[in-house]
């Protein structure tokens, strides 16, 4: 005799059919201090996200339509900032761990859809000049439109055991190419590259390269470290500086480029799901890439709202699977000429 199989809803078992929504947790019932300590952000920031993402999180086709946008956002923020689907987190807002997972997926996709709105290079001339001025104020490096670097985020081994995600330390990771401005806001974020690819290969294949080579940014450049090749739009440090001007150039380059290393550290400090302290991201490479990008969007939104992530308390050193690299030598004679002219004009 066939045995009927019932598909049970975890939230239905917990809270019954009498609830149209699962809003046991109310923002107005708790303090800002509690929200920051538990979800990483204050009340007004969370209300802004509800306004920004509410329509996307209320789509009738989603399974979690009975869970309010506010609750979905709290669930996702709890995961991003703690890196864990802890039972107490679900209990605090009145949903199961299974629903927590669905909420994270929904909010992540809603944030990814908004990425072009919050992560982009400035286009108008006045904003571009302000960008250059901000960088020049750091260490006297002129013409800088952004600093670029790669960082690895550990992920679980893909089901297919794809070796392309194994980096040089033998760990599975995504290699993320990012550009930031002088205050740490991201101007570009490509989070999907397999961890086996060296930084120079990632940049070679990235949309960022296509953008700079087709847009012809003649009045400025990015700064990259020695893992990248010198290009007309990408200034790298000199391998063996010999003259005082070359030493000054390298010192200014290093002090300016340090902004992105600081940005990487603070993003990991705020979004503990990326720092490896709770283990690797337990998702496919595609979903992990989206989670990283969602955190990048939140990072930029937080800066827009005056939440200075660089003032966050230190959480201790976190070991990450960063790649070692060899010094890259450029064969681009025009790029070499531009860097030499920069040396003579500004550092001699």
């Amino acid at each position: 005799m066939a045995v009927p199989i019932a598909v049970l809803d975890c939230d239905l078992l917990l809270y019954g059919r009498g609830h149209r929504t699962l809003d046991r947790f109310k923002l107005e019932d708790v303090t800002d201090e509690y929200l920051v300590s538990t979800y990483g952000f204050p009340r007004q920031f969370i209300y802004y996200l509800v306004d920004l993402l509410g329509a996307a999180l209320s789509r009738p086709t989603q399974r979690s339509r009975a869970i309010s946008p506010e609750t979905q956002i709290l669930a996702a923020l709890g995961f991003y900032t703690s890196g864990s689907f802890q039972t107490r987190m679900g209990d605090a807002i009145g949903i199961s761990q299974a629903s927590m997972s669905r909420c994270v997926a929904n909010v992540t996709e809603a944030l990814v859809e908004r990425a072009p709105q919050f992560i982009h290079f400035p286009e108008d001339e006045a904003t571009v000049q302000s960008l250059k001025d901000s960088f020049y104020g750091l260490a006297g490096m002129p013409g800088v439109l952004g600093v670029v670097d790669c960082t690895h985020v550990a992920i679980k081994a893909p089901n297919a055991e794809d070796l392309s995600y194994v980096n040089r330390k033998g760990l599975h990771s995504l290699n993320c190419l990012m550009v930031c401005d002088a205050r740490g806001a991201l101007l570009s974020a490509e989070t999907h590259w397999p961890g086996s690819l060296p930084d120079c290969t990632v940049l070679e294949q990235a949309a960022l390269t296509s953008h700079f080579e087709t847009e012809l940014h003649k009045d400025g450049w990015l700064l990259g470290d020695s893992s990248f090749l010198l290009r007309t739009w990408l200034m790298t440090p000199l391998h063996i500086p010999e003259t005082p001007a070359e030493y000054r150039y390298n010192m200014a380059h290093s002090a300016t480029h340090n902004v992105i290393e600081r940005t990487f550290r603070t993003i990991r400090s705020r979004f503990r799901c990326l720092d490896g302290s709770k283990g690797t991201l337990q998702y496919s490479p595609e979903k992990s890439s989206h989670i990283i990008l969602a955190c990048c969007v939140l990072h930029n939104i937080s800066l827009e709202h005056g939440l200075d992530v660089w003032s966050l308390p230190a959480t201790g050193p976190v070991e990450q699977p960063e790649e070692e690299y060899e010094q890259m030598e450029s064969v681009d004679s025009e790029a070499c000429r531009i860097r030499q002219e920069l040396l003579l004009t500004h550092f001699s």
Side-chain angles (χ1 to χ4, degrees), residues 221 334-348:
W221 38 71
E334 178 63 12
C336 291
R337 184 196 66 77
I338 291 174
R339 185 170 65 181
Q340 188 62 29
E341 183 178 325
L342 181 60
L343 281 164
L344 293 174
T345 303
H346 293 278
F347 296 98
S348 296

Side-chain angles (χ1 to χ4, degrees), residues 148-268:
V148 59
D149 207 349
C150 287
T151 186
H152 285 253
V153 175
I155 63 171
K156 74 170 184 178
N159 291 334
E161 280 294 334
D162 190 341
L163 294 179
S164 67
Y165 290 94
V166 179
N167 61 36
R168 289 168 63 177
K169 292 191 174 184
L171 303 174
H172 291 84
S173 67
L174 289 169
N175 195 0
C176 305
L177 178 72
M178 300 187 193
V179 181
C180 74
D181 66 13
R183 65 190 180 116
L186 296 171
L187 305 174
S188 177
E190 299 184 36
T191 60
H192 62 283
W193 297 101
S196 67
L197 293 181
D199 295 357
C200 60
T201 303
V202 169
L203 182 63
E204 184 70 31
Q205 299 177 10
L208 178 68
T209 294
S210 176
H211 170 72
F212 269 82
E213 291 186 346
T214 57
E215 295 294 326
L216 298 175
H217 293 272
K218 295 181 180 180
D219 298 324
W221 38 71
L222 302 179
L223 295 188
D225 63 23
S226 297
S227 63
F228 301 116
L229 283 170
L230 179 71
R231 300 170 183 263
T232 56
W233 49 269
L234 178 64
M235 294 292 104
T236 60
L238 291 133
H239 180 34
I240 305 177
E242 297 177 347
T243 68
E246 290 175 346
Y247 275 103
R248 285 192 289 268
Y249 167 85
N250 270 15
M251 289 179 64
H253 188 292
S254 177
T256 307
H257 188 266
N258 185 57
V259 173
I260 197 161
E261 297 299 335
R262 195 177 176 190
T263 300
F264 287 157
R265 289 194 298 270
T266 55
I267 289 175
R268 294 185 193 278

Side-chain angles (χ1 to χ4, degrees), residues 9 22 41 78 82 91 102 117 175 179 230 251 266 310:
D9 187 296
L22 303 173
F41 295 95
S82 73
D91 288 346
R102 290 197 297 272
Q117 176 182 345
N175 195 0
V179 181
L230 179 71
M251 289 179 64
T266 55
W310 287 355

Side-chain angles (χ1 to χ4, degrees), residues 132-160:
K132 294 179 184 178
D133 293 342
S134 296
F135 275 118
Y136 187 80
L138 295 179
M141 181 68 77
V144 180
L145 299 170
V147 288
V148 59
D149 207 349
C150 287
T151 186
H152 285 253
V153 175
I155 63 171
K156 74 170 184 178
N159 291 334

